[in-house]
Protein backbone atom coordinates (compact mmCIF):
# COMPACT_ATOMS: atom_id res chain seq x y z
CA UNK A 1 0.00 0.00 0.00
CA UNK A 2 1.32 3.42 -0.91
CA UNK A 3 1.24 5.65 2.12
CA UNK A 4 1.28 9.40 1.86
CA UNK A 5 2.44 11.81 4.52
CA UNK A 6 3.83 9.14 6.86
CA UNK A 7 7.35 9.21 8.28
CA UNK A 8 9.68 6.20 8.01
CA UNK A 9 9.33 3.62 10.79
CA UNK A 10 12.62 4.65 12.44
CA UNK A 11 11.13 8.04 13.36
CA UNK A 12 8.72 6.31 15.76
CA UNK A 13 11.60 5.55 18.17
CA UNK A 14 12.67 9.20 18.15
CA UNK A 15 9.06 10.12 18.82
CA UNK A 16 8.85 7.87 21.88
CA UNK A 17 12.16 9.26 23.19
CA UNK A 18 10.81 12.81 22.91
CA UNK A 19 7.21 12.17 23.94
CA UNK A 20 7.36 9.94 27.03
CA UNK A 21 9.85 11.93 29.16
CA UNK A 22 8.17 15.21 28.21
CA UNK A 23 4.75 13.86 29.12
CA UNK A 24 6.00 12.53 32.46
CA UNK A 25 7.73 15.82 33.31
CA UNK A 26 4.64 17.82 32.32
CA UNK A 27 2.35 15.66 34.46
CA UNK A 28 4.73 15.75 37.43
CA UNK A 29 5.18 19.52 37.11
CA UNK A 30 1.42 19.95 37.22
CA UNK A 31 0.77 17.53 40.09
CA UNK A 32 3.71 18.61 42.24
CA UNK A 33 3.30 22.28 41.25
CA UNK A 34 6.90 22.64 40.09
CA UNK A 35 7.80 26.06 38.83
CA UNK A 36 9.64 25.11 35.65
CA UNK A 37 10.07 28.78 34.76
CA UNK A 38 13.11 28.85 37.07
CA UNK A 39 15.18 26.84 34.59
CA UNK A 40 16.73 27.62 31.19
CA UNK A 41 16.34 31.40 31.32
CA UNK A 42 17.79 32.90 28.17
CA UNK A 43 17.20 35.88 25.90
CA UNK A 44 14.69 35.10 23.16
CA UNK A 45 13.01 36.95 20.34
CA UNK A 46 9.31 37.58 21.01
CA UNK A 47 6.86 38.53 18.32
CA UNK A 48 4.52 39.63 21.10
CA UNK A 49 5.13 39.83 24.84
CA UNK A 50 2.47 40.58 27.42
CA UNK A 51 3.55 40.42 31.07
CA UNK A 52 1.00 39.47 33.70
CA UNK A 53 0.09 42.13 36.24
CA UNK A 54 2.02 44.91 34.45
CA UNK A 55 -0.07 47.56 32.83
CA UNK A 56 1.00 48.73 29.37
CA UNK A 57 3.72 46.10 29.18
CA UNK A 58 2.69 44.50 25.91
CA UNK A 59 5.16 45.00 23.11
CA UNK A 60 5.78 43.62 19.65
CA UNK A 61 9.09 42.41 18.21
CA UNK A 62 11.50 42.59 21.11
CA UNK A 63 14.22 40.57 22.80
CA UNK A 64 13.16 39.39 26.25
CA UNK A 65 14.55 37.19 29.03
CA UNK A 66 12.39 34.09 29.31
CA UNK A 67 12.48 30.53 30.59
CA UNK A 68 12.29 28.16 27.64
CA UNK A 69 11.47 25.11 29.78
CA UNK A 70 7.81 25.08 28.81
CA UNK A 71 8.64 25.73 25.16
CA UNK A 72 11.07 22.77 25.14
CA UNK A 73 8.45 20.50 26.71
CA UNK A 74 5.82 21.69 24.23
CA UNK A 75 8.11 21.12 21.24
CA UNK A 76 9.07 17.64 22.50
CA UNK A 77 5.44 16.66 23.16
CA UNK A 78 4.14 17.85 19.80
CA UNK A 79 7.02 16.61 17.65
CA UNK A 80 7.23 13.33 19.57
CA UNK A 81 3.47 12.80 19.31
CA UNK A 82 3.45 13.49 15.57
CA UNK A 83 6.38 11.11 14.99
CA UNK A 84 4.71 8.35 17.04
CA UNK A 85 1.31 8.75 15.47
CA UNK A 86 2.36 9.31 11.89
CA UNK A 87 5.35 7.01 11.38
CA UNK A 88 4.82 3.87 9.38
CA UNK A 89 4.55 0.56 11.15
CA UNK A 90 6.94 -2.20 10.06
CA UNK A 91 4.19 -3.73 7.96
CA UNK A 92 1.85 -1.06 6.66
CA UNK A 93 -1.19 -2.30 4.73
CA UNK A 94 -4.77 -1.21 3.99
CA UNK A 95 -6.01 -2.52 7.36
CA UNK A 96 -3.41 -0.47 9.26
CA UNK A 97 -4.29 2.57 7.16
CA UNK A 98 -7.98 2.05 7.97
CA UNK A 99 -7.22 1.72 11.70
CA UNK A 100 -5.06 4.86 11.57
CA UNK A 101 -7.81 6.82 9.83
CA UNK A 102 -10.56 5.60 12.17
CA UNK A 103 -8.41 6.28 15.25
CA UNK A 104 -7.73 9.82 14.09
CA UNK A 105 -11.43 10.49 13.50
CA UNK A 106 -12.33 8.88 16.86
CA UNK A 107 -9.65 10.91 18.69
CA UNK A 108 -10.87 14.14 17.09
CA UNK A 109 -14.48 13.51 18.12
CA UNK A 110 -13.46 12.42 21.63
CA UNK A 111 -11.06 15.35 22.12
CA UNK A 112 -13.57 17.98 21.09
CA UNK A 113 -16.37 16.33 23.09
CA UNK A 114 -14.16 16.56 26.17
CA UNK A 115 -13.29 20.18 25.34
CA UNK A 116 -16.98 21.06 25.04
CA UNK A 117 -17.72 19.42 28.41
CA UNK A 118 -14.83 21.26 30.08
CA UNK A 119 -15.95 24.52 28.47
CA UNK A 120 -19.42 24.05 29.91
CA UNK A 121 -18.37 22.98 33.41
CA UNK A 122 -14.92 24.43 34.25
CA UNK A 123 -14.14 28.06 34.97
CA UNK A 124 -11.23 30.30 35.94
CA UNK A 125 -7.58 29.33 35.84
CA UNK A 126 -8.48 25.63 35.70
CA UNK A 127 -10.06 26.22 32.31
CA UNK A 128 -6.82 27.80 31.07
CA UNK A 129 -5.05 24.58 32.10
CA UNK A 130 -7.62 22.63 30.08
CA UNK A 131 -6.87 24.79 27.03
CA UNK A 132 -3.13 24.27 27.53
CA UNK A 133 -3.41 20.49 27.80
CA UNK A 134 -5.83 20.41 24.89
CA UNK A 135 -2.84 21.27 22.72
CA UNK A 136 -1.58 17.71 23.26
CA UNK A 137 -4.66 15.63 23.99
CA UNK A 138 -5.73 15.08 20.38
CA UNK A 139 -2.36 13.47 19.63
CA UNK A 140 -2.43 11.56 22.93
CA UNK A 141 -5.93 10.15 22.35
CA UNK A 142 -4.99 9.24 18.76
CA UNK A 143 -1.79 7.45 19.83
CA UNK A 144 -3.58 5.50 22.59
CA UNK A 145 -6.51 4.48 20.37
CA UNK A 146 -4.34 3.60 17.36
CA UNK A 147 -1.92 1.44 19.30
CA UNK A 148 -4.74 -0.23 21.26
CA UNK A 149 -6.49 -1.15 18.00
CA UNK A 150 -3.21 -2.47 16.55
CA UNK A 151 -2.74 -4.52 19.73
CA UNK A 152 -6.26 -5.95 19.37
CA UNK A 153 -5.63 -6.77 15.70
CA UNK A 154 -2.36 -8.55 16.48
CA UNK A 155 -3.96 -10.47 19.36
CA UNK A 156 -6.86 -11.52 17.16
CA UNK A 157 -4.46 -12.71 14.44
CA UNK A 158 -2.32 -14.68 16.93
CA UNK A 159 -5.43 -16.32 18.45
CA UNK A 160 -6.56 -17.46 14.98
CA UNK A 161 -3.20 -19.16 14.31
Amino acid sequence: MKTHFLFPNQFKIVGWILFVPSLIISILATILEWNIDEYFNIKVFAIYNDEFFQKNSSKFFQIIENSISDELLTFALIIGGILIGFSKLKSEDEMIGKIRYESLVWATYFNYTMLLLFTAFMYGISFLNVLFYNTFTLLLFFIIRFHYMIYKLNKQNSDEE
Side-chain angles (χ1 to χ4, degrees):
M1 176 185 161
K2 185 168 178 126
T3 54
H4 298 284
F5 310 114
L6 294 178
F7 297 102
N9 180 259
Q10 298 84 0
F11 282 55
K12 189 177 283 279
I13 295 168
V14 175
W16 285 113
I17 291 170
L18 290 172
F19 190 77
V20 171
S22 302
L23 182 65
I24 291 170
I25 292 170
S26 296
I27 291 170
L28 288 176
T30 300
I31 292 171
L32 302 175
E33 297 181 2
W34 290 344
N35 185 6
I36 61 172
D37 286 336
E38 296 174 358
Y39 308 102
F40 301 114
N41 285 309
I42 63 171
K43 292 188 179 205
V44 295
F45 172 73
I47 293 176
Y48 182 75
N49 181 36
D50 187 11
E51 296 287 331
F52 287 118
F53 308 116
Q54 292 182 2
K55 204 171 188 179
N56 299 326
S57 68
S58 59
K59 294 179 181 169
F60 287 95
F61 305 110
Q62 62 179 348
I63 304 293
I64 62 169
E65 177 106 8
N66 185 48
S67 168
I68 60 167
S69 304
D70 50 348
E71 284 83 3
L72 291 174
L73 286 173
T74 302
F75 270 78
L77 278 169
I78 292 173
I79 292 171
I82 287 172
L83 291 177
I84 293 168
F86 299 103
S87 291
K88 293 178 188 171
L89 295 182
K90 287 182 180 169
S91 61
E92 192 83 22
D93 60 10
E94 286 85 14
M95 178 61 91
I96 302 296
K98 181 177 183 269
I99 291 172
R100 187 185 309 277
Y101 166 75
E102 289 176 354
S103 296
L104 187 56
V105 170
W106 179 90
T108 303
Y109 289 157
F110 184 74
N111 186 64
Y112 285 105
T113 300
M114 297 299 292
L115 183 59
L116 288 172
L117 289 173
F118 285 124
T119 300
F121 300 112
M122 288 191 76
Y123 303 97
I125 295 296
S126 298
F127 183 68
L128 290 178
N129 286 332
V130 168
L131 292 178
F132 172 74
Y133 286 110
N134 190 255
T135 307
F136 318 108
T137 52
L138 178 62
L139 275 171
L140 183 65
F141 296 148
F142 167 63
I143 290 167
I144 291 169
R145 174 80 165 30
F146 177 64
H147 285 90
Y148 175 69
M149 297 306 287
I150 295 297
Y151 168 78
K152 278 180 57 176
L153 178 69
N154 289 337
K155 185 166 174 49
Q156 181 183 359
N157 288 341
S158 68
D159 288 346
E160 290 176 1
E161 292 176 351

